[in-house]
Amino acid sequence: MQTDQVRQNIRTQIKQALARQDAAAVVKGAMELTAISTRPTDTMFSSTCLMEMSTLIEKDLGAKRLRTYIVRSVTVEPLLPYLTMEAVKANYVLDVHVGGYGSYVDEILNPTSALSQYNPDLVVILLDLDDIAGQLPELCADGLGKGVDEAIEQSAARIGQLLHSFRQSNSARIVLQGLVIPDTTSLGDIGDANLSYSLPSAVRELNKRLASICSGVRDCAFFDTDRLAARFGRRSWRDTRLFLSSRLQVSPAAFGVYAEGIVRTFSALFRAPRKVLCTDLDNTLWGGVLGEDGIDGIATGSSFPGNCFYEYQRYLKQLSARGILLAIVSKNNDADVREAFEARSADLAVHLDDFVATKISWSEKSHAIRELSQELSLGLDSFVFVDDNPVECAAVELELPDVVVVNAPLLEPWKLVEILSTQSFFDAASVTDDDVNRLNDYKAQTERTKLESNSGGRDEFLGSLGIICTFVDALQAPLARSVQLMAKTNQFNLTTRRYSAHEIEEFANDERVQAIAVRVRDRFGDAGVVGLALAKLEGDICHIDSLLLSCRVIGRGIETALLAHLSSKAIETGARRLIGEFIPTKKNAPCASFYLDHGFSPIAQPSYSTDGVQYYEIDLTTAAPVSPPWITLEGINTNER
Amino acid sequence: MSVEPVPSSLRELLADILEVSPDDIRLETSTESIETWDSFRHLQLILAIEGEYGVQFDPQRVADLTTVEMILSDLRAKGVELS
């Protein structure tokens, strides 16, 4: 009854917020209401209010609006309010269109289908075992395997074909739902476990094939529903009564979890993962307080409770292995910490050289994180901060709202890894070589900073780096890296166009187009592919559509080398003028004067143009940009051929 | 015409799901009288009622529950006390 009163109060607050058009308060109310109440009617009410506010949620809270088309062979309508809720939680607003029951093949394949006409940003494909491999239950009935491999092969090939041909004509991101491993079969628990061709093992194999197909299709992610079902409990995941009577794939009790899984999956296709985890030391990386308990007193290693912290360290080390940078942010004496890492080395799963940087001092942690952000040239929205102290957490949250703060549970240290793994901030559907090499690259950056402070002039310093730029085709950079760069680069990005893989391919599929990626290395290391330029020749004018450079290599003349390379190739193909465009954003001020700095002149704007877009031009016959002398150029079609 | 009011919890639930004002929900309200009460909304509504009151309807009965009065009488028959 008391909860009921609270519910009614929150509902009233939401209605009031709605009336005064306060998007933040509506969202906050909706989250509170659905956190205290699992009643479907509260979710429906919240979702209706959120949809009503969707324009302001987009405008005031910066939510990303996605035109979403659901291709399905099952009933999804009752799920939609939950999808709306979970999407808003992750700062998306969905415009959903649900396709017909039996028409999914036509919708995917036919370029004039309702799907194509809807022009979606995202396509979510929700099919069931019946549609993907309806014959499997019968083929697996004896567990001996006759025809099973062939059936899996055919089913996977069919889905692969659907996705690939869809991709040829449409660049929408795709989420393909996997299958839930059947739990009630005629072979029973023992047969399923022991016979190699039981239905569960066949479906498991099929899931594996589908996931691998998804990774071969651009901008496509596999949604592992079985993992969610297993976590939730397979027995209550599906309500057979509702599946057979209404073709509901998932029981109403699991709607929230299921919707969250869909949102988490598609998020990985629209957002770059965070890049840095800053960890506290005392009672976070190890148990106890170094300054009080001493080097031998801190808890870490193989026995409880030290092993809880050891598990967290192993988790950090694993994050680091796929390119998440680790940093220490701790209030301690630097010398004590260094001694502890050395003396307890055998009991620690991470060591000082696993960290890209350490900020060990008595100053405010928000300062330390801000410094790190500058030193690494990474935005604060790339940071995650883990600390057991709620006061430190609250301070960082207040000072640096872009940083995600994780409060490590002081009294239950065994929970920290689980808390981190349920968060989506490090989610990535793919890992590139550049990700894996990131730690060495950023360490090299710190070395360069040291050298810079030791050397005389800027040119001398840059000359001493021995920079080599290699120009490659953006479609083979590899393409995934080019897409990643376009999606993630904010500061040095002249037009901030976020093309998908398909859009880049489409753009570059024209002989008048240059799509160049630049790879940079110097004597400290290989930064990988860090820059991209797209330009198109029209008549004797070459237009630069996009030009961007990862911020960690700005200021070494690489941007000039890229522009010079683009210019010389443009001249080769007959260009006489080069036109550049600058579209201002909240973050790209660092490159606002790029064209002016390179001798371009501004083109007068029509007076009605108020969006701040500025065009620049340069005469290539008299003033073509040249590459700085300290950079060595390599790769296809460079001037030194 | 019945004068018995629709219990408020059911009235609010129906209003939320059909996206109408609670005042529009009366005993004689039916799939015919409310435009938003289509077949998908009907399924949402049945699922919400099942979740709210902890009951299950026989799937064959679901299609017949086309008025508020019928829903109410089925709920009462299942022993649900409505406030």
Side-chain angles (χ1 to χ4, degrees):
Chain A
M1 221 56 233
Q2 203 181 352
T3 335
D4 209 50
Q5 192 53 49
V6 179
R7 281 177 60 227
Q8 293 305 339
N9 288 347
I10 301 177
R11 278 173 168 249
T12 311
Q13 283 164 16
I14 296 176
K15 283 180 198 153
Q16 288 164 350
L18 206 56
R20 63 172 195 273
Q21 299 278 292
D22 182 343
V26 172
V27 171
K28 187 166 164 274
M31 298 306 155
E32 277 174 18
L33 182 59
T34 48
I36 61 156
S37 158
T38 54
R39 297 184 180 184
T41 167
D42 285 330
T43 304
M44 290 287 303
F45 169 78
S46 301
S47 142
T48 308
C49 297
L50 292 174
M51 286 317 287
E52 228 166 282
M53 282 309 274
S54 79
T55 309
L56 283 182
I57 292 174
E58 190 184 3
K59 217 175 105 209
D60 296 351
L61 307 180
K64 192 174 175 64
R65 184 177 288 273
L66 296 179
R67 293 177 66 79
T68 304
Y69 195 101
I70 301 182
V71 172
R72 54 78 181 264
S73 66
V74 289
T75 303
V76 298
E77 285 76 0
L79 177 76
L80 299 180
Y82 294 80
L83 199 56
T84 300
M85 282 297 307
E86 292 300 327
V88 170
K89 263 189 213 169
N91 216 17
Y92 292 97
V93 172
L94 303 185
D95 291 329
V96 177
H97 185 97
V98 179
Y101 272 109
S103 54
Y104 68 93
V105 174
D106 182 63
E107 283 173 2
I108 296 174
L109 290 184
N110 185 346
T112 59
S113 68
L115 190 163
S116 302
Q117 284 170 16
Y118 186 70
N119 193 21
D121 303 303
L122 170 67
V123 173
V124 180
I125 304 175
L126 306 176
L127 304 177
D128 206 72
L129 183 60
D130 300 353
D131 315 293
I132 295 183
Q135 72 283 43
L136 270 188
E138 278 68 39
L139 288 173
C140 294
D142 61 11
L144 297 175
K146 192 159 180 294
V148 172
D149 285 333
E150 293 79 357
I152 293 174
E153 180 66 37
Q154 279 169 13
S155 303
R158 194 171 135 265
I159 297 292
Q161 211 179 3
L162 275 179
L163 297 183
H164 281 288
S165 36
F166 174 75
R167 179 49 83 233
Q168 275 170 19
S169 63
N170 200 306
S171 61
R173 269 60 158 191
I174 307 171
V175 166
L176 175 73
Q177 169 176 269
L179 300 163
V180 175
I181 311 295
D183 195 37
T184 44
T185 65
S186 55
L187 280 172
D189 289 7
I190 309 305
D192 280 346
N194 289 280
L195 291 159
S196 14
Y197 284 95
S198 66
L199 185 58
S201 51
V203 173
R204 224 170 263 127
E205 182 59 31
L206 182 52
N207 269 344
K208 221 157 82 184
R209 300 290 303 274
L210 294 175
S212 126
I213 286 167
C214 288
S215 67
V217 176
R218 312 244 179 264
D219 304 315
C220 176
F222 179 72
F223 168 38
D224 189 356
T225 26
D226 185 60
R227 188 178 166 105
L228 295 185
R231 197 179 284 149
F232 187 84
R234 289 208 181 91
R235 182 182 289 184
S236 31
W237 182 255
R238 176 170 291 191
D239 182 327
T240 312
R241 175 182 63 110
L242 293 171
F243 180 64
L244 294 177
S245 61
S246 306
R247 247 187 118 62
L248 263 185
Q249 235 180 352
V250 174
S251 76
F255 279 171
V257 174
Y258 181 60
E260 186 190 355
I262 294 176
V263 172
R264 190 166 170 176
T265 306
F266 76 63
S267 283
L269 297 171
F270 291 95
R271 262 184 211 149
R274 288 184 179 250
K275 299 194 190 93
V276 191
L277 184 146
C278 303
T279 182
D280 172 46
L281 295 177
D282 294 335
N283 282 321
T284 302
L285 191 75
W286 52 57
V289 176
L290 179 60
E292 293 168 10
D293 302 312
I295 286 174
D296 296 321
I298 56 173
T300 180
S302 55
S303 55
F304 189 85
N307 54 2
C308 302
F309 298 95
Y310 194 83
E311 285 302 312
Y312 170 59
Q313 295 158 19
R314 289 181 63 190
Y315 189 75
L316 294 186
K317 181 95 182 167
Q318 289 158 14
L319 287 177
S320 162
R322 54 123 161 164
I324 309 295
L325 301 170
L326 306 177
I328 293 173
V329 173
S330 162
K331 288 184 178 170
N332 252 308
N333 290 325
D334 191 75
D336 297 352
V337 170
R338 278 167 209 285
E339 203 185 332
F341 267 100
E342 202 152 301
R344 298 295 300 272
S345 157
D347 296 322
L348 288 160
V350 279
H351 302 97
L352 279 177
D353 59 3
D354 293 316
F355 294 92
V356 67
T358 55
K359 291 282 168 192
I360 304 160
S361 73
W362 298 96
S363 65
E364 285 310 314
K365 295 196 173 185
S366 55
H367 289 190
I369 297 171
R370 209 188 288 275
E371 275 173 25
L372 276 174
S373 145
Q374 280 155 5
E375 285 168 22
L376 298 170
S377 306
L378 288 171
L380 287 163
D381 57 3
S382 289
F383 283 73
V384 173
F385 172 62
V386 185
D387 197 314
D388 65 294
N389 184 335
V391 179
E392 297 286 5
C393 287
V396 170
E397 235 160 28
L398 185 73
E399 291 287 318
L400 311 172
D402 287 341
V403 174
V404 166
V405 174
V406 176
N407 198 341
L410 178 62
L411 301 175
E412 299 167 308
W414 53 86
K415 284 192 175 164
L416 181 52
V417 168
E418 191 189 320
I419 291 172
L420 285 171
S421 72
T422 55
Q423 302 284 334
S424 62
F425 41 64
F426 292 133
D427 281 354
S430 66
V431 174
T432 64
D433 287 345
D434 286 297
D435 292 328
V436 175
N437 293 328
R438 195 177 289 138
L439 174 62
N440 289 331
D441 183 36
Y442 277 92
K443 278 191 171 168
Q445 168 130 338
T446 331
E447 292 298 312
R448 276 182 214 106
T449 318
K450 277 184 201 155
L451 182 67
E452 187 169 10
S453 54
N454 292 337
S455 81
R458 173 173 176 267
D459 288 11
E460 189 194 333
F461 159 66
L462 291 168
S464 71
L465 291 177
I467 301 170
I468 301 169
C469 285
T470 313
F471 298 103
V472 295
D473 184 341
L475 298 181
Q476 273 134 35
L479 182 57
R481 175 57 183 161
S482 299
V483 176
Q484 199 185 41
L485 271 173
M486 289 203 92
K488 294 199 306 193
T489 310
N490 296 316
Q491 288 167 292
F492 200 98
N493 194 337
L494 288 152
T495 53
T496 321
R497 297 196 166 105
R498 312 285 197 197
Y499 292 147
S500 68
H502 184 72
E503 286 164 329
I504 297 181
E505 273 179 329
E506 213 165 44
F507 185 86
N509 192 16
D510 181 330
E511 56 187 20
R512 294 168 306 165
V513 161
Q514 296 190 51
I516 311 162
V518 60
R519 178 179 196 114
V520 174
R521 63 185 198 274
D522 65 17
R523 68 183 173 98
F524 293 106
D526 189 339
V529 172
V530 288
L532 192 74
L534 300 177
K536 189 170 193 173
L537 186 69
E538 272 159 20
D540 64 353
I541 301 173
C542 179
H543 294 266
I544 304 177
D545 175 88
S546 297
L547 196 147
L548 51 106
L549 195 66
S550 166
C551 43
R552 59 202 155 106
V553 297
I554 295 175
R556 293 184 218 157
I558 292 155
E559 55 275 33
T560 307
L562 180 58
L563 182 68
H565 178 76
L566 186 147
S567 305
S568 66
K569 287 202 54 177
I571 293 169
E572 277 174 34
T573 53
R576 298 171 63 85
R577 277 207 301 157
L578 185 59
I579 292 192
E581 180 184 2
F582 176 71
I583 305 177
T585 67
K586 274 185 197 157
K587 291 184 168 177
N588 73 351
C591 61
S593 66
F594 176 74
Y595 287 121
L596 287 177
D597 295 345
H598 288 84
F600 284 65
S601 345
I603 301 177
Q605 296 294 301
S607 54
Y608 55 79
S609 161
T610 53
D611 50 4
V613 178
Q614 176 63 52
Y615 290 90
Y616 297 89
E617 64 175 336
I618 196 166
D619 184 345
L620 288 174
T621 59
T622 57
V626 289
S627 183
W630 59 79
I631 294 181
T632 309
L633 306 173
E634 275 188 0
I636 42 160
N637 301 325
T638 43
N639 297 334
E640 332 181 290
R641 282 176 302 175
Chain B
M1 270 320 216
S2 166
V3 286
E4 187 201 6
V6 180
S8 69
S9 70
L10 181 63
R11 201 174 64 221
E12 277 164 27
L13 183 151
L14 292 169
D16 278 347
I17 291 172
L18 300 173
E19 293 182 45
V20 295
S21 154
D23 302 336
D24 294 342
I25 306 292
R26 291 178 295 272
L27 278 182
E28 64 275 17
T29 303
S30 73
T31 50
E32 298 293 314
S33 67
I34 292 198
E35 200 187 339
T36 51
W37 194 341
D38 59 16
S39 61
F40 287 125
R41 220 52 90 98
H42 189 62
L43 177 59
Q44 282 181 326
L45 200 148
I46 296 296
L47 294 177
I49 292 173
E50 289 189 346
E52 181 85 13
Y53 301 109
V55 294
Q56 284 194 358
F57 294 103
D58 184 319
Q60 283 183 303
R61 174 74 183 149
V62 167
D64 302 331
L65 299 174
T66 53
T67 68
V68 174
E69 191 165 17
M70 278 194 265
I71 293 172
L72 191 59
S73 82
D74 267 39
L75 281 174
R76 291 214 166 110
K78 288 177 185 296
V80 175
E81 284 180 30
L82 293 117
S83 54

